[in-house]
Amino acid sequence: MPTVIVDCALYRDGRRSERRQPEDFSDALDEARASGDAFLWIGLHEPTEAEFALVTSEFGLHPLAVEDALCAHQRPKLERYDDSLFLVLKPAAYDDGTSTVSTGELMLFVGDSFVVTVRHGDTNPLSAVRQRLEDEPDVLRHGPTAVMYAVSDAVVDHYMDVEAELHVDLDELEEEVFTPDGGEGRGVAERIYAFKRQVLEFRRAAGPLAEPMTRLAGGGMRFVPGPSLPFFRDVNDHLTRVNEQIEGLDRLLSDILSAHLAQLSVRQNDDMRRISAWAAMCAVPTMIAGVYGMNFTHMPELHWAWAYPAVVALMAGTCVVLHRFFRRRGWL
């Protein structure tokens, strides 16, 4: 069990009191509830069922929520049980090196004088959140609700950072697609499709979180007192903005893909017209040469001394006329 505990501490009146060990959970929780101005915050990283059993029994966590916390692969959601709230978040991060979006999973159990956070994956905003809250005792004094708000706020703030990075990539992709050659031969369609996959991964993290944040901001939720509602409304506003930007990204990517395919189609039509024009210019002299190659006895101007130069001149003149005609029509 100690190997999965990232941090465990008792907070009293907004200030960190002391670090607690697993065997002290019950005593620490009783102490926090007795004092009225304290709570216990435990952070865990990818615990197994056996490792999580002590926390489950000490805090009376609902078995369905425990199952979700252990199995991971959950959508963002908010569940209300008799003795706790269970919030699932999906933190997102952007990798500059690979231009990809990665997501993790973060679960919060919020109850009477306790917060339990369970993290899956490498994306981790919790250490920064804990440090920031410990530097702001006035916020931390509001108890477990303050932790839930701060974690949600940090996750959504990271969403805004990821969205900004994706917009930079989108601008670069637009510039490449709308160059004179339209990114021909450089796998632009594959890049657009891969980009849409990243946006989809991002949407799966941010989109479903809208409903839980709306419920937290709407009031009437146990362990979420009235004074904290404006803070959750602020998080919900930021999340709404992020989701709107994600929708815009997806629409722009679809438009860019359509424009790229239209450019390819126009370019192919231009190429076909050029090929047709050159084929027509080659067909006329070929036809004339074919007629004179049939070796009939009575051929036009066969015994005239200037017949050969005249036929060659006719071929060249016809090609010139056709070339000027096609140039005028924009085929060449």
Side-chain angles (χ1 to χ4, degrees):
M1 181 69 182
T3 58
V4 300
I5 296 181
V6 179
D7 202 350
C8 174
L10 183 68
Y11 294 86
R12 182 176 287 106
D13 194 29
R15 300 186 182 277
R16 186 181 181 116
S17 175
E18 55 187 304
R19 181 181 177 90
R20 292 301 182 109
Q21 298 301 318
E23 57 270 15
D24 298 331
F25 285 169
S26 180
D27 294 340
L29 185 58
D30 291 341
E31 181 182 343
R33 287 172 174 170
S35 66
D37 63 348
F39 70 94
L40 187 64
W41 182 0
I42 304 172
L44 304 101
H45 179 233
E46 298 183 356
T48 64
E49 183 176 357
E51 292 168 333
F52 202 47
L54 179 59
V55 175
T56 302
S57 61
E58 292 291 348
F59 294 97
L61 305 180
H62 197 280
L64 292 177
V66 171
E67 181 182 355
D68 290 343
L70 293 174
C71 297
H73 304 295
Q74 303 295 318
R75 296 174 75 250
K77 63 179 181 177
L78 175 66
E79 299 287 351
R80 181 169 58 180
Y81 299 103
D82 292 337
D83 299 322
S84 63
L85 291 178
F86 178 60
L87 177 64
V88 179
L89 304 167
K90 291 183 74 70
Y94 179 84
D95 188 338
D96 286 321
T98 59
S99 298
T100 56
V101 176
S102 60
T103 58
E105 289 192 46
L106 182 59
M107 292 83 167
L108 288 89
F109 294 87
V110 177
D112 183 13
S113 302
F114 73 86
V115 179
V116 178
T117 57
V118 182
R119 177 171 62 89
H120 293 266
D122 296 327
T123 306
N124 178 27
L126 285 178
S127 58
V129 170
R130 189 184 286 261
Q131 182 61 50
R132 179 165 63 86
L133 283 175
E134 290 179 356
D135 293 338
E136 299 177 357
D138 289 339
V139 177
L140 200 56
R141 191 173 291 118
H142 293 281
T145 306
V147 176
M148 184 166 60
Y149 154 71
V151 173
S152 302
D153 186 53
V155 169
V156 174
D157 283 348
H158 285 160
Y159 286 168
M160 298 175 71
D161 295 337
V162 172
E163 181 269 325
E165 293 288 351
L166 288 176
H167 259 294
V168 173
D169 287 348
L170 179 65
D171 292 340
E172 294 175 354
L173 192 58
E174 281 184 324
E175 184 177 353
E176 182 175 354
V177 168
F178 292 107
T179 53
D181 63 355
E184 184 180 10
R186 287 181 281 178
V188 174
E190 290 81 359
R191 285 189 57 196
I192 296 174
Y193 180 75
F195 200 160
K196 285 183 73 70
R197 294 282 302 218
Q198 300 306 313
V199 172
L200 177 61
E201 179 72 13
F202 190 24
R203 174 183 282 176
R204 286 172 177 168
L209 187 57
E211 190 267 341
M213 286 297 107
T214 300
R215 290 174 61 192
L216 289 172
M221 193 74 62
R222 191 181 178 189
F223 306 116
V224 183
S228 66
L229 297 183
F231 296 94
F232 285 106
R233 283 197 290 268
D234 181 66
V235 176
N236 192 36
D237 288 342
H238 292 170
L239 181 62
T240 301
R241 189 186 317 160
V242 169
N243 283 325
E244 289 174 352
Q245 294 291 340
I246 294 174
E247 290 292 334
L249 280 172
D250 191 58
R251 286 195 300 269
L252 283 173
L253 281 171
S254 298
D255 293 343
I256 290 173
L257 180 59
S258 299
H260 176 63
L261 295 177
Q263 285 180 323
L264 291 180
S265 178
V266 170
R267 194 172 297 110
Q268 289 173 350
N269 289 336
D270 289 342
D271 292 340
M272 288 301 300
R273 287 192 298 180
R274 290 189 182 93
I275 293 172
S276 300
W278 286 109
M281 287 187 289
C282 292
V284 173
T286 300
M287 181 190 68
I288 297 174
V291 170
Y292 277 89
M294 289 188 291
N295 296 322
F296 291 143
T297 301
H298 302 288
M299 293 288 291
E301 311 298 340
L302 190 62
H303 301 287
W304 182 40
W306 294 97
Y308 179 77
V311 171
V312 172
L314 176 63
M315 293 180 183
T318 304
C319 290
V320 170
V321 171
L322 288 174
H323 187 273
R324 296 188 64 180
F325 172 76
F326 290 132
R327 289 275 292 185
R328 228 180 257 117
R329 294 293 299 271
W331 285 35
L332 292 173

